[in-house]
Amino acid sequence: VFSKIFSHEALESYLPKIQLVIKDTLRAWSSNPEPINVYHEAQKLTFRMAIRVLLGFRIPDEELNRLFEVYQQFVENVFSLPVDLPFSGYRRGIRARETLQKGLEKAIQEKLQNTQGKDYADALDILIESGKEHGKELTMQELKDGTLELIFAAYATTASASTSLIMQLLKHPRVLEKLREELRSKGILHNGCICEGSLRLDNISSLHYLDCVIKEVLRLFTPISGGYRTVLQTFELDGFQIPKGWSVMYSIRDTHDTAPVFKDVDIFDPDRFGQGRSEDKDGRFHYLPFGGGVRTCLGKHLAKLFLKALAIELASTSRFELATRTFPKITLVPVVHPVDGLKVKFFGLDSNQNEILTGTDAMLGATV
């Protein structure tokens, strides 16, 4: 059922909505006179994308912001010790989940009652219809659980990868300019504007350098460290016997760091995935940012589409610069993110890629 949510047809219908959410967010970042904390704002962005695009909820901004704060409290306490005492992280997490589910139930009921003005089938629509196709009407609790699972899957890892993407574009301006060149050559970017109707799924798929950039971000800064699997039959690894039935964890980061196919593993080099080198093509499990095998991440195509849409908007309609002297240190737990936040100043641009003066600068410009 969940696989239908991430089909090619579903992604095609999500794309215009994803673009709209990203455009609105970048406009808000650019209008902020102060530098933004990219990781925190990226979390807001991916939460908004999940609510507005995946689930199709028409929640007012004020209520959406309140739900985001509650959701953060839920996520922060997911890995708490299961000790149900007052003021414990576990208790706070349980209360946050209860508040979230009340808000989600209200949104689901409103969605079921109001089907007017729908121009695409969102993930929740597909979930409900697929349940009916399988002869099972999903209960409200199942809908709330499925909704929360979709938000959770789209949240932290995508926010982490978005932050890493922005940081690498800041560190490597030549990569950003090469992205712009590709967008121009494909007729997507013209005179500082994205050409209307040019961003379709097939067009985005044809942007080979953009694909290399996203792949390299996910290789160097894989959002999650690894995954768990159950051993189906006893096997031997480096002289050690791993018995059937054991739970094992594979490390994505260590795999990327030690895989012999990657040269200069610590260097950000999107060209390693270009046609001339194709370092990810040798062997099945050297490159696995979304896991591997039959249980690879179901949402990987949506995640990559979101990152590509974000990169296109950043390269086309934004100017941004580091607001601190040095780049922040990176922590790996629970997902890759800057320890003290990545502080970045965004500037508004007009249609000719000229910086729009705001606030005091605008006043000084007018005076001059």
Side-chain angles (χ1 to χ4, degrees):
V1 169
F2 269 96
S3 65
K4 286 189 176 182
I5 292 170
F6 306 110
S7 67
H8 184 278
E9 293 76 16
L11 295 182
E12 189 81 74
S13 68
Y14 301 155
L15 181 55
K17 312 299 178 184
I18 291 173
Q19 283 179 262
L20 188 60
V21 170
I22 291 173
K23 278 178 182 288
D24 288 345
T25 299
L26 290 181
R27 193 177 296 119
W29 290 359
S30 298
S31 64
N32 191 336
E34 299 297 322
I36 65 162
N37 181 324
V38 173
Y39 181 57
H40 181 70
E41 293 299 324
Q43 288 175 315
K44 284 185 182 179
L45 169 57
T46 53
F47 183 78
R48 182 178 292 269
M49 191 270 292
I51 293 289
R52 296 271 197 242
V53 181
L54 270 185
L55 303 172
F57 290 156
R58 300 173 181 177
I59 300 175
D61 283 344
E62 189 175 334
E63 190 176 341
L64 188 65
N65 291 334
R66 185 184 65 81
L67 269 182
F68 171 72
E69 298 300 329
V70 175
Y71 184 77
Q72 272 203 312
Q73 192 172 63
F74 164 70
V75 171
E76 286 168 4
N77 293 289
V78 161
F79 297 105
S80 301
L81 288 172
V83 179
D84 193 9
L85 295 173
F87 310 112
S88 67
Y90 183 76
R91 178 74 64 87
R92 286 196 299 272
I94 292 293
R95 285 179 175 171
R97 187 181 67 178
E98 290 171 352
T99 303
L100 266 176
Q101 293 207 334
K102 284 179 184 176
L104 292 174
E105 182 169 346
K106 179 186 173 187
I108 292 169
Q109 286 175 339
E110 289 176 355
K111 180 184 175 71
L112 294 175
Q113 291 167 5
N114 183 14
T115 57
Q116 301 298 318
K118 284 285 294 180
D119 58 352
Y120 79 110
D122 56 57
L124 192 55
D125 293 331
I126 296 170
L127 195 61
I128 293 168
E129 288 305 312
S130 295
K132 290 178 182 177
E133 288 174 11
H134 288 79
K136 187 180 188 309
E137 192 85 29
L138 297 178
T139 66
M140 177 56 73
Q141 188 58 48
E142 287 171 330
L143 287 174
K144 287 189 293 186
D145 289 341
T147 297
L148 194 54
E149 187 171 348
L150 280 170
I151 297 171
F152 190 81
Y155 178 69
T157 51
T158 312
S160 165
S162 300
T163 306
S164 299
L165 170 65
I166 292 172
M167 187 164 72
Q168 292 312 298
L169 292 180
L170 280 167
K171 281 187 172 182
H172 305 278
R174 288 183 182 178
V175 170
L176 185 58
E177 185 51 40
K178 196 169 177 179
L179 269 181
R180 290 183 179 129
E181 287 173 8
E182 182 175 52
L183 293 174
R184 293 186 195 105
S185 69
K186 294 290 184 177
I188 292 173
L189 181 62
H190 181 67
N191 287 338
C193 290
I194 295 176
C195 299
E196 190 174 347
S198 62
L199 280 190
R200 300 185 306 275
L201 210 55
D202 56 342
N203 283 8
I204 292 177
S205 298
S206 71
L207 298 170
H208 299 302
Y209 187 68
L210 173 61
D211 188 56
C212 292
V213 170
I214 300 305
K215 280 183 176 179
E216 181 67 342
V217 167
L218 294 174
R219 181 197 69 83
L220 197 56
F221 297 102
T222 305
I224 55 171
S225 57
Y228 293 94
R229 295 291 184 269
T230 299
V231 178
L232 299 180
Q233 60 184 32
T234 300
F235 69 96
E236 206 171 271
L237 180 67
D238 288 342
F240 294 92
Q241 190 180 76
I242 314 297
K244 178 181 177 180
W246 274 31
S247 290
V248 296
M249 180 179 180
Y250 66 93
S251 174
I252 295 174
R253 292 197 190 109
D254 288 340
T255 299
H256 289 178
D257 286 346
T258 60
V261 295
F262 297 126
K263 312 303 178 188
D264 301 316
V265 292
D266 295 327
I267 295 175
F268 182 77
D269 180 14
D271 289 320
R272 72 173 74 247
F273 295 109
Q275 292 181 347
R277 291 161 64 182
S278 302
E279 291 183 8
D280 61 324
K281 301 301 183 186
D282 297 328
R284 290 178 62 202
F285 299 118
H286 293 309
Y287 180 73
L288 59 166
F290 296 99
V294 294
R295 294 191 60 81
T296 187
C297 175
L298 271 176
K300 64 181 181 180
H301 296 301
L302 175 62
K304 287 195 288 188
L305 179 62
F306 176 84
L307 291 171
K308 287 180 180 181
L310 176 59
I312 290 169
E313 287 295 336
L314 288 168
S316 304
T317 61
S318 298
R319 193 174 80 75
F320 46 102
E321 62 184 31
L322 189 66
T324 52
R325 290 186 177 182
T326 58
F327 284 93
K329 293 181 179 179
I330 298 295
T331 185
L332 306 180
V333 179
V335 296
V336 174
H337 64 281
V339 178
D340 300 316
L342 174 66
K343 306 294 195 307
V344 173
K345 180 72 181 80
F346 277 77
F347 303 90
L349 295 174
D350 64 17
S351 60
N352 294 315
Q353 286 286 311
N354 297 313
E355 182 182 332
I356 298 172
L357 296 175
T358 56
T360 307
D361 289 336
M363 290 164 53
L364 287 172
T367 304
V368 172

